[in-house]
Amino acid sequence: MKKTFALLLALTLAVALCLTGCGGDSDRVVNVCGWGENIDPDLISQFEQETGIRVNYQTAESNETMYALIKQGGTDYDVIVPSDYMIGQMIAEGMLAELDYSNIPNFSLIDSQYKNLSYDPENKYTVPYTWGTLGIIYNPTMVDGEITSWSALFDGQYAGQVGMIGNPRDAIGAALLYLGYSVNTTDEAQIRAAYQLIADAKANGVYQGFFMDQLYDKMEAGETAICTYYAGDFLTMHENNPDLCYVVPQEGSNWFVDAMCVLKGAEHKAEAEEWINFICRTESCLANMDYIWYASPNAEALEQYPAYYEEKNGEAMDPALYEVMAAPSGTLANCEAYENLPADTLSLYTDLWVELGIG
């Protein structure tokens, strides 16, 4: 599904620009920044046709990249889709606009368990977009035995076979979990111990590199045996390489929510809220789940998805794959959501990432 994203999105935007520049009378626009390959391009076309609003869809590789782009002032984003911990930081720094929920009636379709979370306790700034877990993806044809622990990311027996995730919160978080610490610890000694675990594994040649979306091709082609990445992306990889397995390690993991926000001072706030409302509706959520494989916070859509999948694909969805997408409560009970960390802890993360030679 996602492998055709870049071409389809380019064509979608080209058509939109032609409609606007070749006689179209609409001057309404919304500038959206999300993750690479994280939206069904058909939804962009459908929204443009229904509303006459042109969508400029741009991507960022990680929360940290998105944040840096915005802070540098070189963007004109209206809607952004960061993760929970980054949302908390942006709210604290006054970067987000309060939403007018009267313009987003489909917010009522969002399940209550994804509302009023720690990053936005009064639900002033956000509408959940997707949710999922961080885990280990591995190829059992390339390793001996079943992988159940974060230890696989640091184990010398897998030297040269591991792709470490390329952002500090997830990488250090995995190491913290392996060491028995909270992903939200502010204890400098604990964070440095987690960093050292990664640094030693890097020095010992465990990692092929630190990657984000490059992991799709590496895992699908059998170039990489083990990586840490997100449940929805595993499902895309599995579609192209059915050998792959996904596990939430026994030590627990991160449960995350990505949410739609509007930047303070956004030039097209009305259009932004219209976009958010469109994305929240059940039909949009079903189509998006079928394209990006991430669980929707829309309760109707999540419940209806197995039937939707069967109708669209002519076969029942593998229950094990649905369980990866819509993690059962027992799995989530063993997971922690990231919280926004104090400024000095965030600075420590940044400094350690630079010291590691990644930042």
Side-chain angles (χ1 to χ4, degrees):
M1 295 180 187
K2 290 185 180 179
K3 294 294 110 176
T4 57
F5 175 84
L7 175 59
L8 287 172
L9 185 55
L11 291 173
T12 299
L13 295 179
V15 170
L17 289 170
C18 184
L19 288 173
T20 304
C22 303
D25 58 3
S26 173
D27 59 358
R28 300 183 72 201
V29 64
V30 61
N31 300 305
V32 182
C33 182
W35 311 129
E37 309 182 348
N38 205 34
I39 190 169
D40 180 353
D42 288 343
L43 289 175
I44 297 174
S45 300
Q46 186 177 347
F47 176 78
E48 291 177 329
Q49 291 166 6
E50 289 185 13
T51 66
I53 298 171
R54 176 165 54 89
V55 179
N56 291 324
Y57 193 91
Q58 303 167 67
T59 63
E61 188 178 52
S62 68
N63 282 288
E64 289 73 19
T65 301
M66 180 186 292
Y67 174 82
L69 288 169
I70 295 168
K71 292 295 282 187
Q72 290 163 8
T75 69
D76 57 357
Y77 305 147
D78 300 306
V79 180
I80 57 172
V81 192
S83 301
D84 34 32
Y85 71 95
M86 185 56 70
I87 293 169
Q89 182 175 344
M90 289 180 168
I91 291 173
E93 295 182 16
M95 296 171 64
L96 302 182
E98 292 191 20
L99 299 176
D100 182 348
Y101 287 91
S102 68
N103 293 329
I104 312 173
N106 288 332
F107 182 65
S108 64
L109 299 172
I110 301 299
D111 193 294
S112 59
Q113 68 177 310
Y114 308 108
K115 296 178 179 178
N116 305 104
L117 297 177
S118 61
Y119 59 87
D120 186 12
E122 297 180 63
N123 253 120
K124 293 182 177 181
Y125 303 94
T126 59
V127 174
Y129 179 64
T130 55
W131 65 271
T133 57
L134 177 72
I136 292 176
I137 303 170
Y138 69 99
N139 189 330
T141 70
M142 299 174 68
V143 300
D144 293 328
E146 184 180 4
I147 288 177
T148 61
S149 168
W150 288 115
S151 63
L153 299 181
F154 316 109
D155 194 331
Q157 71 171 308
Y158 301 122
Q161 295 181 280
V162 179
M164 182 50 121
I165 195 164
N167 75 67
R169 194 70 195 266
D170 286 327
I172 294 175
L176 286 167
L177 287 163
Y178 173 62
L179 293 172
Y181 302 137
S182 167
V183 295
N184 296 310
T185 183
T186 58
D187 185 309
E188 181 173 346
Q190 293 179 355
I191 295 169
R192 286 191 177 277
Y195 157 79
Q196 196 60 51
L197 193 63
I198 298 169
D200 289 346
K202 180 175 182 283
N204 292 330
V206 173
Y207 305 134
Q208 294 177 347
F210 289 71
F211 307 114
M212 293 300 291
D213 286 348
Q214 305 97 311
L215 286 168
Y216 287 111
D217 291 335
K218 289 181 172 294
M219 294 301 297
E220 290 169 9
E223 296 176 5
T224 301
I226 303 167
C227 73
T228 179
Y229 221 53
Y230 313 109
D233 298 301
F234 159 74
L235 292 167
T236 294
M237 296 177 196
H238 183 273
E239 188 177 37
N240 295 301
N241 185 345
D243 287 335
L244 299 179
C245 296
Y246 179 84
V247 62
V248 173
Q250 62 195 17
E251 299 92 347
S253 188
N254 165 240
W255 169 72
F256 63 85
V257 175
D258 291 347
M260 295 176 283
C261 318
V262 176
L263 284 174
K264 184 172 287 186
E267 187 176 349
H268 311 102
K269 189 169 187 287
E271 291 81 2
E273 291 172 342
E274 197 163 346
W275 166 261
I276 292 171
N277 190 59
F278 170 83
I279 293 297
C280 284
R281 71 187 189 186
T282 299
E283 296 80 3
S284 298
C285 291
L286 283 166
N288 220 22
M289 273 195 293
D290 200 57
Y291 187 85
I292 68 174
W293 287 116
Y294 273 93
S296 173
N298 177 316
E300 286 183 352
L302 191 62
E303 181 180 355
Q304 294 174 18
Y305 182 66
Y308 178 94
Y309 177 94
E310 184 169 1
E311 180 179 352
K312 186 168 183 179
N313 297 285
E315 61 182 11
M317 185 178 188
D318 183 340
L321 296 182
Y322 183 69
E323 187 170 296
V324 170
M325 173 189 279
S329 58
T331 298
L332 294 182
N334 198 31
C335 294
E336 268 188 289
Y338 292 143
E339 297 175 0
N340 181 32
L341 299 173
D344 58 344
T345 304
L346 292 174
S347 294
L348 176 61
Y349 267 74
T350 299
D351 292 344
L352 292 176
W353 204 241
V354 171
E355 188 175 335
L356 195 62
I358 310 302

